[in-house]
Amino acid sequence: MRLEDLQPNAGAHRERKRIGRGHGSGTGKTSGRGQKGQGSRAGGGPRPGFEGGQTPLSMRTPKLRGPYSRRSRNIGLFEKTYSIVNVGQLNSFAEGTEVTQDLLVDLNLCGKGKDGLRVLGNGELTVKLTITAQHFTGSAKTKIEAAGGQALLLGDVN
């Protein structure tokens, strides 16, 4: 096999359609555009986004107003994302363990929230633990302290 013998597979390459080259070509005279009307003119056709008189998609969609962090169903520019864990999930730890976000992520008990850990009060805590997090709900804090543990607040949270 030589370089000059190479050619594409049969049917892989198709000649381009030569438009406006006489009526014998099949696309002569009107060049496949038909006789009259919007599509036959140079630059013809509706503007981008035009839907034939139907209200276009850009006008049908609701408009989002206000700062990014207030937009519903959008993670805003200033919105904080936290890892969330419930008090009831922490019963699997040994007595006196110091629980942090890194430990919970390693054990797949919560995700990697970039702004820290939030402890919620769902469930019952029966083990004495020291929990370090960015935020505790009121019920979570009381349940941790009732079990003899400590709820240590880390950093400044809204």
Side-chain angles (χ1 to χ4, degrees):
M1 176 182 271
R2 296 188 341 214
L3 195 60
E4 59 267 20
D5 293 335
L6 290 176
Q7 57 186 17
N9 294 331
H13 181 73
R14 189 182 212 172
E15 291 294 319
R16 74 176 180 89
K17 190 185 283 191
R18 298 184 72 227
I19 292 172
R21 293 293 183 269
H23 72 272
S25 70
T27 54
K29 191 186 170 210
T30 55
S31 304
R33 287 173 167 260
Q35 290 290 334
K36 296 180 189 173
Q38 190 177 28
S40 70
R41 319 286 189 212
R47 67 185 178 276
F50 185 69
E51 296 186 21
Q54 173 176 303
T55 307
L57 181 66
S58 61
M59 291 178 74
R60 288 192 309 249
T61 54
K63 306 301 181 280
L64 299 172
R65 297 180 175 89
Y68 280 119
S69 60
R70 288 193 190 161
R71 292 184 179 176
S72 61
R73 296 186 318 173
N74 282 0
I75 298 224
L77 196 59
F78 307 109
E79 192 169 327
K80 294 185 182 287
T81 55
Y82 293 99
S83 298
I84 293 174
V85 69
N86 280 302
V87 167
Q89 295 174 273
L90 303 176
N91 285 319
S92 58
F93 288 103
E95 191 88 19
T97 307
E98 189 165 322
V99 180
T100 61
Q101 182 182 3
D102 297 331
L103 179 63
L104 293 171
V105 169
D106 290 343
L107 297 172
N108 283 334
L109 285 174
C110 72
K112 297 178 187 174
K114 66 181 174 74
D115 291 310
L117 177 67
R118 251 173 207 246
V119 182
L120 308 181
N122 195 8
E124 292 300 320
L125 186 65
T126 56
V127 186
K128 179 182 174 182
L129 300 172
T130 303
I131 304 167
T132 308
Q134 274 70 18
H135 184 266
F136 294 91
T137 60
S139 61
K141 194 167 189 171
T142 55
K143 287 178 183 181
I144 292 166
E145 289 167 354
Q150 283 185 299
L152 302 176
L153 206 58
L154 248 186
D156 190 26
V157 174
N158 296 346

